[in-house]
Amino acid sequence: MQDIPFDQRDGWIWVDGKTVPWKDAKVHVLTHALHYASSVFEGQRAYNGKIFKLEDHTDRLYRSADILGMEIPWTKDQINEACYENLAKNELVDAYQRPVVWRGAEKMGLSVKGTEIHVAIATWSWPSYFSPEARLKGLRLCMSNWRRPDPMTAPILAKSAANYPIGCLSKDEAENRGYDDALLLDWEGYVGEASGANIFFIKNGELHTPSLKCVLAGITRATVIEIAREKGMKICERNIRPEEMGDFDQAFLTGTAAEVTPLSEVGDFRFKAGEETIDLMNSYDALVRGK
Ligand code: PMP
């Protein structure tokens, strides 16, 4: 399954209210989104047949669409229902799911007037984002030269295709240099996030993570904060200077795809997957599986 190109797999994709064979879910080359990145999306996972925090993902999809000025022509309940429908149609219970909203090919040019808003939902099996070996050892991150921009200069708070070139370029450079991923600072030089995941640090049993001024409001991030609070840990959401990474003994990434993944290295700094990280990882695993 792993090596089959994504446009040639078997299965079913929900497109604008209809379920179509996977290979028929196509768009035209003059699709507005392909030229102007007028697209927003979600990445969510189902565990044992239940889509984890589906309502939160759908809320974020609508918030992202709103930032991009797109009105989704379905209600949130209809989208949630379609997500479950597509999971069942593909006969999957453990899966990754990608709802995507985009401006179509009805009109060409920067003006969005007259373009229609399309929605698709694809579901497939995707066990682990990082390899199990890399996860066990702790991921190695290099420092990216790209920075998360000021929300005044890009729709950075939306989960939009418009924001992903810096992530893709950072990830590609990291992989070319033998790293698992890269850490992007923000436009002011504070710690931001990895290419597709939020970052946390631990010192003296306290959790530190960048505030939400220009990183994605990760649903896994919010979940881990909730879990840590219940455990009585202190949470500091703040500006973190890159040099401060030397003060922390543990670090990990969070994301729907990445789940909770320990880090062993970020630039010049080294970390160990300590007691608190392992405990948060296990609690997250138990929660998503409804245990
Ligand atoms: N930051 C970025 C840039 C991402 O792409 C993702 C993955 N959606 C995250 C953070 C983590 O978000 P979530 O926990 O909601 O998957």
Side-chain angles (χ1 to χ4, degrees):
M1 187 70 179
Q2 216 70 357
D3 296 319
I4 305 173
F6 266 86
D7 56 354
Q8 284 164 44
R9 297 183 174 206
D10 288 322
W12 300 92
I13 298 186
W14 187 96
V15 186
D16 291 334
K18 291 196 187 79
T19 296
V20 302
W22 189 283
K23 290 169 193 153
D24 297 344
K26 293 180 178 168
V27 293
H28 194 270
V29 292
L30 293 181
T31 296
H32 196 277
L34 185 61
H35 299 256
Y36 305 114
S38 47
S39 122
V40 297
F41 62 95
E42 270 308 312
Q44 54 212 28
R45 265 187 198 271
Y47 298 88
N48 299 330
K50 181 157 189 334
I51 303 169
F52 184 65
K53 302 245 164 161
L54 173 60
E55 286 76 14
D56 295 4
H57 282 284
T58 302
D59 283 347
R60 189 171 66 185
L61 184 70
Y62 277 71
R63 277 204 309 279
S64 297
D66 190 49
I67 293 173
L68 275 273
M70 299 195 284
E71 200 176 322
I72 299 176
W74 302 92
T75 65
K76 288 183 183 179
D77 285 348
Q78 285 172 320
I79 295 295
N80 291 341
E81 238 171 73
C83 287
Y84 271 105
E85 191 187 304
N86 193 250
L87 183 67
K89 183 78 183 163
N90 285 287
E91 296 178 13
L92 289 167
V93 286
D94 292 301
Y96 181 82
Q97 193 165 58
R98 171 62 56 92
V100 56
V101 176
W102 73 97
R103 290 191 190 276
E106 298 78 17
K107 284 276 158 87
M108 199 47 189
L110 268 79
S111 171
V112 299
K113 303 269 181 282
T115 58
E116 281 177 21
I117 307 300
H118 301 271
V119 184
I121 302 165
T123 312
W124 65 92
S125 243
W126 196 12
S128 184
Y129 182 55
F130 294 105
S131 75
E133 303 81 59
R135 282 195 84 192
L136 272 177
K137 274 195 261 166
L139 301 182
R140 297 174 57 243
L141 267 55
C142 60
M143 299 298 295
S144 172
N145 288 320
W146 293 100
R147 293 194 173 196
R148 299 279 304 174
D150 179 340
M152 297 288 283
T153 61
I156 200 71
L157 300 178
K159 188 166 169 61
S160 168
N163 297 318
Y164 277 87
I166 53 171
C168 295
L169 287 164
S170 302
K171 178 89 177 172
D172 190 48
E173 195 197 341
E175 289 180 339
N176 290 341
R177 292 172 55 198
Y179 288 89
D180 299 299
D181 205 339
L183 175 69
L184 286 83
L185 302 180
D186 69 23
W187 83 98
E188 295 180 305
Y190 295 107
V191 171
E193 61 181 336
S195 64
N198 294 109
I199 192 162
F200 282 85
F201 302 96
I202 299 179
K203 71 172 168 190
N204 307 325
E206 288 175 9
L207 212 48
H208 295 252
T209 192
S211 56
L212 291 176
K213 67 180 191 195
C214 73
V215 300
L216 188 73
I219 286 158
T220 320
R221 176 188 181 278
T223 307
V224 164
I225 288 178
E226 220 174 275
I227 295 173
R229 256 200 201 113
E230 273 167 23
K231 291 181 187 291
M233 287 177 88
K234 188 175 164 208
I235 325 285
C236 308
E237 293 179 67
R238 63 181 180 88
N239 281 334
I240 299 172
R241 283 179 287 108
E243 320 80 83
E244 278 184 75
M245 287 197 280
D247 303 338
F248 300 114
D249 45 23
Q250 301 171 52
F252 59 89
L253 296 184
T254 64
T256 298
E259 301 176 310
V260 176
T261 299
L263 299 177
S264 61
E265 190 177 326
V266 182
D268 294 334
F269 304 101
R270 300 290 176 270
F271 305 96
K272 286 226 156 54
E275 199 186 312
E276 290 92 346
T277 303
I278 306 277
D279 186 35
L280 289 168
M281 224 171 135
N282 291 338
S283 298
Y284 182 78
D285 279 355
L287 182 70
V288 295
R289 289 181 175 80
K291 286 180 194 149

